[in-house]
Structure formats: structure tokens, C-alpha cells
Amino acid sequence: MQQGDGTEAQVTWEDQQNINRFGRLNNRLHELHDEIKLAKEANENLDDAGNELILSDEDVVRFQIGEVFAHMPRDDVETRLEQMKEDAAKKLERLEEEKESIVSQMAELKKILYGKFKDAINLEED
């Protein structure tokens, strides 16, 4: 591998493992961005459903379970909706924590790899 000053840096097995790990973390980061986006949309949809339920004056409402709508008492739907909101919020929080962990791991790997290879390696996104 050629460095910017014309000297060649040897890529050791450990270096290759760090490069591979960085690549896997980068792929997971992209997957997490998509999962976080979907989780945020799910949270918004649950909030919208809760708001619609508040505006409804019916005692029995339609509630979607899978691909089927079932008629359920309003109180049961409110309880289920609150549980779904809590679960969705926990999932989003877990995804955000995983994202932060990956970003910090990638930053550490960047320090190591740029420290050795300087401008001979590019770890930045285009």
C-alpha cells in the first residue's frame, strides 16, 4: 500500500481484521439508519392512532391485528395502543444506543487505521 510520502506500509493480518471490522460496522450503521427511520415512522403512526382514538366517540372501534380488523372495546384498544407505544419507544431507544456504540467503535478504528496508513486509506463516505 502506498502512502502519500512514497513509502510503502505493510498491511498486517491485524490491520486487515480492523479494516474488515470497520466495513462490517459501516454496513450495520447503514442498516440501523433504515431501521431507525422505520421505527420513528411506527412511533408517529401509533401517536396518530392514539389521537384518532381520542377524537372517536364510539365504544367499539376497529383495531388491526396483522392483516385483519377486529371490533374491540375502546378501553382494550387504548390499553393495547399504550403498550405498543411503549414497545416502539424502547425499540427506538435500543436502536439509537446501538448506533452510538457503532459510531464510537468506528471512530476508534479510524484513529488506528489513519494513524498507520495516513492518506493511503479512505474510510470516509462519498
Side-chain angles (χ1 to χ4, degrees):
M1 185 174 283
Q2 286 288 70
Q3 287 188 355
D5 59 4
T7 61
E8 188 173 315
Q10 292 291 5
V11 179
T12 65
W13 184 83
E14 183 180 343
D15 295 332
Q16 189 60 51
Q17 294 304 311
N18 285 338
I19 292 168
N20 293 345
R21 183 167 179 241
F22 184 89
R24 286 190 302 272
L25 288 171
N26 192 44
N27 288 339
R28 179 62 185 142
L29 184 63
H30 288 285
E31 291 171 1
L32 277 173
H33 284 296
D34 293 339
E35 290 179 31
I36 288 171
K37 181 180 175 185
L38 292 174
K40 286 181 179 179
E41 288 175 7
N43 281 346
E44 290 174 9
N45 291 340
L46 289 170
D47 285 339
D48 290 346
N51 292 338
E52 289 294 323
L53 190 60
I54 290 171
L55 296 175
S56 172
D57 59 350
E58 298 178 20
D59 292 333
V60 176
V61 294
R62 292 184 326 150
F63 185 77
Q64 185 175 3
I65 302 173
E67 295 182 11
V68 177
F69 284 94
H71 291 279
M72 296 177 62
R74 180 187 176 111
D75 293 338
D76 291 349
V77 172
E78 287 175 349
T79 304
R80 281 190 138 179
L81 201 53
E82 287 303 317
Q83 184 61 45
M84 291 171 72
K85 284 181 185 180
E86 288 176 23
D87 293 344
K90 287 178 186 176
K91 179 180 179 179
L92 182 59
E93 182 179 337
R94 185 175 31 84
L95 291 172
E96 291 286 354
E97 288 172 359
E98 184 179 353
K99 178 184 169 187
E100 289 174 18
S101 171
I102 286 175
V103 167
S104 68
Q105 290 176 53
M106 287 175 69
E108 187 63 33
L109 287 170
K110 279 183 181 181
K111 286 180 194 174
I112 294 168
L113 293 170
Y114 279 133
K116 180 167 184 178
F117 299 110
K118 310 251 183 293
D119 61 351
I121 191 168
N122 182 13
L123 302 174
E124 303 301 322
E125 300 266 341
D126 291 334

